[in-house]
Amino acid sequence: MASIALIGGTGNVGRRLLAEALRRGHTVTVVARTPVTDLGEGVAFVQGDISADPAALGAKLTGHDVLISAARFATVDADHVLAAVRAAKIPRLAVVGGAGSLEVAPGVRLIDAPEFPEAYKSEAVPGAAFLDQLRGVSDVQWTFLSPAAFFSPGERTGQFRLGGDAFLTDAAGKSAISYEDFAVALLDEVENPAHTGRRFSVVY
């Protein structure tokens, strides 16, 4: 079983990741800026703001096997997360990515398409920059999991497809994944690394 440090563990996706990790018997430390009391039995908590002092936060996380970042890209960038990982000497990093950086054609990202909603760019643009920065990192075993375009609460089915950099849809042209099945895919990667040093994606 792995010892997991989870940043953003109180958010929509983070809560599903926490539940999935506990379901599998992993030990989890949730990191948040404000105290949280409803994380469940056996879950450790560390208070801290990774964007304010990532090295200090990292010093509190020494001993974990993997750090999962489910933080928003608009407020937490790759420098913050990497500084915390390096300070903690955590060997592995898994990032909850976004769909905007997926390619709709070779070298053409979804975020660059004319129809990409302007309202989503405040999160999608820094998300793509985060991935670009990770691609230059060799001292941390990182992976970045991009969800489908429609990413929302749903069921845990365990039935989905994995992809790479390409934007994928189902037979009806829909690109969707639930938070719950995203968590399954990411915890599968934590347990059996198959995408170290690269991005992969998940879709129904």
Side-chain angles (χ1 to χ4, degrees), residues 148 159-162 168-170 174-177 201-204:
Q159 302 296 316
F160 45 77
R161 294 176 292 146
L162 299 181
L168 301 178
T169 64
D170 62 17
K174 185 176 181 180
S175 173
I177 194 70
S201 56
V202 60
V203 65
Y204 287 128

Side-chain angles (χ1 to χ4, degrees), residues 99 102 110 145-155 157 159-163 166-182 185 201-204:
L102 291 167
L110 180 63
L145 178 55
S146 285
F150 292 95
F151 190 31
S152 58
E155 296 181 8
T157 70
Q159 302 296 316
F160 45 77
R161 294 176 292 146
L162 299 181
F167 177 69
L168 301 178
T169 64
D170 62 17
K174 185 176 181 180
S175 173
I177 194 70
S178 69
Y179 295 152
E180 289 77 5
D181 276 336
F182 180 94
S201 56
V202 60
V203 65
Y204 287 128

Side-chain angles (χ1 to χ4, degrees), residues 18-122:
L18 173 60
E20 185 66 27
L22 295 177
R23 177 191 182 111
R24 298 176 185 221
H26 300 295
T27 60
V28 183
T29 298
V30 169
V31 180
R33 287 174 292 183
T34 57
V36 183
T37 58
D38 62 343
L39 295 174
E41 185 177 352
V43 179
F45 176 76
V46 168
Q47 186 172 354
D49 184 350
I50 191 170
S51 63
D53 194 342
L57 177 59
K60 299 178 182 179
L61 301 176
T62 301
H64 289 83
D65 301 312
V66 59
L67 184 143
I68 298 177
S69 176
R72 290 180 57 83
F73 297 120
T75 56
V76 174
D77 62 26
D79 283 333
H80 297 138
V81 175
L82 289 168
V85 168
R86 288 165 176 151
K89 295 182 171 58
I90 297 175
R92 298 177 58 204
L93 167 65
V95 178
V96 175
S101 58
L102 291 167
E103 296 183 352
V104 294
V108 180
R109 303 171 302 176
L110 180 63
I111 197 174
D112 300 321
E115 62 271 20
F116 190 86
E118 191 68 30
Y120 296 162
K121 288 188 176 180
S122 62

